Amino acid sequence: MAWRRSSLAGLFLALAIGTPAGIAQKTTDAPPLPIRDAWAVVRRYAAPEARQAVAVDATHFYAIDNRRIGKYEKASGTKVGAWQGPEGGPFIHLNSGVAIDGRLYCAHSNYPGVPMVSSIEVWDTGTLRHVQSIPVGTGRGSATWIDRRDNAWWVMYAHYPAPNGEPGKGPEYSVLVRYDPEWRETGAWAFPKTVVARWDGMSSSGGVWTPDGRLLTAGHHAPELHVLRLPAAGATLVLEAIVPVESEGQGIALDPSDPTRFWSIQRRTAKVLVSAMR
């Protein structure tokens, strides 16, 4: 896919040095949080499955709910395919997904069950036939989103307060884990305390790597994105900027055919939103 790298570099540099706007900040000794102007919504699609996430490829988008997926044409918004998991079956809580090379990869967990058990579930994007299940097991948390970058898989594992989490592990135990192509763990990163506090008792429900190596993440219900990067040393991600958006958390995506377009969902209206990235 042809990314406009020079314009993207300018875009994310602007995110990192922007002036505060749109969200109140607490008075502390720390420097003020870099908060940019909101990204405006330029298109809305009705999609009843838009409860957990949206994934996007060159021609279609995929609205994701706990046990169902809808496939829609990007050009018209017409629904052209659907998948539904059986009630009481192995699919419990699908989360964010990513469409790569004709496959839709979705993070999946047994939320709100404990101990937390997670897997990566895979569908053929042409037929929406379920084709693979990758068990990632217990111990890390509840898988909420997945992306691929630098020949590696990146999976977010969330922790929650009781009663929907494991005893003694709150949101601060949430972690981003990197795997090699054979699903062997090769690294793990915590989130900065500022971001954990803004999750408001939940965790990160969406995330996607940008072409220039930054990480856009969304919480569970706040109308904002967190722009992060890997640290030069240590194992805690670094917060660069906060971007207000209309959508309220959940799974997010970047458009592979237009890198200036950001995709998200609005649960309360069952809509998929497309926003212009500044």
Side-chain angles (χ1 to χ4, degrees):
M1 52 190 173
W3 295 93
R4 297 195 289 275
R5 294 185 181 275
S6 59
S7 61
L8 280 167
L11 166 68
F12 287 104
L13 176 62
L15 286 177
I17 64 176
T19 56
I23 297 179
Q25 300 181 55
K26 295 180 180 179
T27 301
T28 67
D29 293 333
L33 292 171
I35 301 178
R36 288 295 295 161
D37 293 335
W39 290 350
V41 174
V42 296
R43 187 161 188 181
R44 303 171 192 270
Y45 299 91
E49 304 90 353
R51 297 284 301 166
Q52 296 296 338
V54 61
V56 188
D57 61 21
T59 56
H60 296 84
F61 68 89
Y62 306 85
I64 301 167
D65 199 355
N66 285 332
R67 291 186 294 105
R68 57 180 180 157
I69 300 169
K71 178 181 179 180
Y72 296 80
E73 290 181 345
K74 287 164 60 176
S76 65
T78 301
K79 188 173 183 178
V80 295
W83 172 88
Q84 175 79 52
E87 187 171 355
F91 300 95
I92 301 170
H93 187 66
L94 291 176
N95 284 289
S96 189
V98 60
I100 301 173
D101 298 335
R103 293 288 187 265
L104 175 63
Y105 297 83
C106 289
H108 170 262
S109 74
N110 65 336
Y111 179 86
V114 290
M116 297 175 174
V117 182
S118 298
S119 62
I120 306 302
E121 303 298 335
V122 189
W123 285 261
D124 179 281
T125 56
T127 63
L128 283 190
R129 180 175 63 90
H130 182 258
V131 295
Q132 187 180 9
S133 181
I134 303 165
V136 289
T138 63
R140 276 302 191 183
S142 180
T144 57
W145 57 261
I146 178 174
D147 199 11
R148 190 172 73 180
R149 178 179 174 79
D150 296 334
N151 199 36
W153 292 105
W154 302 74
V155 180
M156 174 70 196
Y157 292 96
H159 281 275
Y160 306 100
N164 296 327
E166 296 178 350
K169 291 186 177 182
E172 68 276 11
Y173 283 85
S174 300
V175 64
L176 176 64
V177 177
R178 183 183 63 197
Y179 298 92
D180 70 11
E182 284 71 46
W183 292 95
R184 295 172 296 210
E185 184 175 325
T186 60
W189 289 264
F191 283 74
K193 292 180 180 179
T194 300
V195 173
V196 173
R198 296 180 80 90
W199 288 339
D200 189 28
M202 296 300 286
S203 189
S204 177
S205 294
V208 60
W209 284 104
T210 67
D212 67 343
R214 287 179 171 84
L215 185 63
L216 289 181
T217 66
H220 179 268
H221 53 264
E224 64 183 33
L225 301 174
H226 306 130
V227 184
L228 301 156
R229 61 175 171 82
L230 295 176
T236 300
L237 297 168
V238 178
L239 176 64
E240 290 196 350
I242 294 173
V243 182
V245 289
E246 183 177 326
S247 51
E248 297 164 344
Q250 303 304 310
I252 59 177
L254 294 183
D255 194 326
S257 56
D258 185 351
T260 69
R261 293 296 182 255
F262 165 75
W263 290 65
S264 58
I265 67 167
Q266 188 67 283
R267 298 183 71 174
R268 55 187 170 82
T269 60
K271 294 286 180 66
V272 170
L273 310 182
V274 185
S275 301
M277 299 168 67
R278 293 172 182 257

